[in-house]
Amino acid sequence: MDVFISEIQKRNVLWNKLNPLYNHRLAVDKEWESVAECTSFSSMIPSSHQ
């Protein structure tokens, strides 16, 4: 779980409302996919998103 939290903290577009890309869906989705790849959650990404 620490790795998951750490990966999210590295990507402030996921949590910082002041980030200009915070509401940009494509940028946010890309970062979530990156988090998933860096953690064991990558197997949970639907194949249409890979």
Side-chain angles (χ1 to χ4, degrees):
M1 186 58 86
D2 292 335
V3 173
F4 182 70
I5 293 169
S6 174
E7 292 300 322
I8 292 171
Q9 289 174 337
K10 291 179 189 176
R11 297 161 173 84
N12 74 0
V13 69
L14 299 177
W15 54 266
N16 183 356
K17 291 182 180 183
L18 299 177
N19 185 314
L21 295 176
Y22 178 79
N23 289 316
H24 191 275
R25 178 55 44 205
L26 293 176
V28 171
D29 285 351
K30 179 180 175 184
E31 293 302 326
W32 276 119
E33 289 177 12
S34 180
V35 168
E37 289 174 6
C38 293
T39 64
S40 59
F41 294 107
S42 62
S43 63
M44 299 175 78
I45 300 174
S47 59
S48 62
H49 291 300
Q50 292 182 344

